[in-house]
Amino acid sequence: MTRTPTRTALAMVTGIAAAGALALGAVPATASPSVLAGSTTVTPAGHAFKATLSGKATLKAGSVTVTCSVSVSTGAVPAAPGNYNAAGPVASPISPPTYSSCTSSIPGVTPTVTTSGAWKVSMQNGSPITATMTVPTGGLVVHTTGLAVCTVTAAPSGPAAVAGTWTNGAPPSLAFSAASVPVTVTGGFGCPTSATSSAFTAVYLVSDTTNPAQQITVGP
């Protein structure tokens, strides 16, 4: 009973935090300067976008799986000339992502997710196109009730980067594969207070809400 809520709480944290990256992405925080050297252009300049979870997000920690079916974030491509960077990524703020309709493979644990603060994403052209979201300090908090009462905070010590891959298309997509985010956990019996990270896998589709006939595109 002790380890079950522990894994569930971890899975929820990773899923939501990584999901925040859904809109547009950037170069991972660990990328070398040479990766940042290429030019990036995101078009159409100034257009608003909406990123929506495609299917379900699978959040895993050990043998525990949490599945979420609803996640949305919005933002806008920077107006020209800010949508172009001659030697690096193009950055854009996004709304704190919302997450709902989440279930756990372990009965008896109910999560509540709160997001806040200034979330940021950026995109770096390349092969593949790399994506990174910046989760603001303490920008995501998961509180669990039921078998364990825990509070899990993402990016507890400073802004944290979550890496993904962007694919141009109709619509374009942003994919995460075992993306990692730092966490801290507080609480009583059954809470994983020694945990420092968790993982997330999902695919998001991005639509141009200024002109639905166009696609958000990343190029050189």
Side-chain angles (χ1 to χ4, degrees):
M1 180 177 293
T2 299
R3 297 181 62 188
T4 293
T6 292
R7 292 169 177 164
T8 302
L10 283 176
M12 284 303 305
V13 169
T14 301
I16 307 306
L22 50 83
L24 296 175
V27 176
T30 57
S32 66
S34 62
V35 175
L36 299 173
S39 65
T40 301
T41 304
V42 182
T43 56
H47 280 215
F49 59 78
K50 179 180 181 180
T52 304
L53 178 66
S54 176
K56 297 179 183 295
T58 301
L59 323 173
K60 293 183 178 180
S63 61
V64 178
T65 299
V66 172
T67 300
C68 297
S69 59
V70 179
S71 182
V72 176
S73 182
T74 60
V77 177
N83 68 316
Y84 171 74
N85 187 339
V90 172
S92 175
I94 59 171
S95 65
T98 60
Y99 243 71
S100 61
S101 298
C102 296
T103 60
S104 172
S105 60
I106 305 301
V109 174
T110 302
T112 300
V113 180
T114 303
T115 56
S116 62
W119 293 63
K120 181 179 71 174
V121 293
S122 59
M123 193 84 75
Q124 173 65 53
N125 186 55
S127 182
I129 300 168
T130 53
T132 299
M133 166 202 68
T134 300
V135 181
T137 305
L140 183 143
V141 177
V142 178
H143 183 68
T144 64
T145 58
L147 295 179
V149 178
C150 312
T151 298
V152 188
T153 303
S157 303
V162 182
T165 302
W166 175 277
T167 302
N168 290 323
S173 63
L174 179 62
F176 298 92
S177 180
S180 180
V181 60
V183 300
T184 57
V185 183
T186 60
F189 178 78
C191 295
T193 54
S194 63
T196 59
S197 67
S198 189
F200 169 75
T201 298
V203 175
Y204 291 86
L205 302 181
V206 180
S207 59
D208 184 326
T209 56
T210 298
N211 183 350
Q214 294 187 280
Q215 307 297 336
I216 304 298
T217 301
V218 180

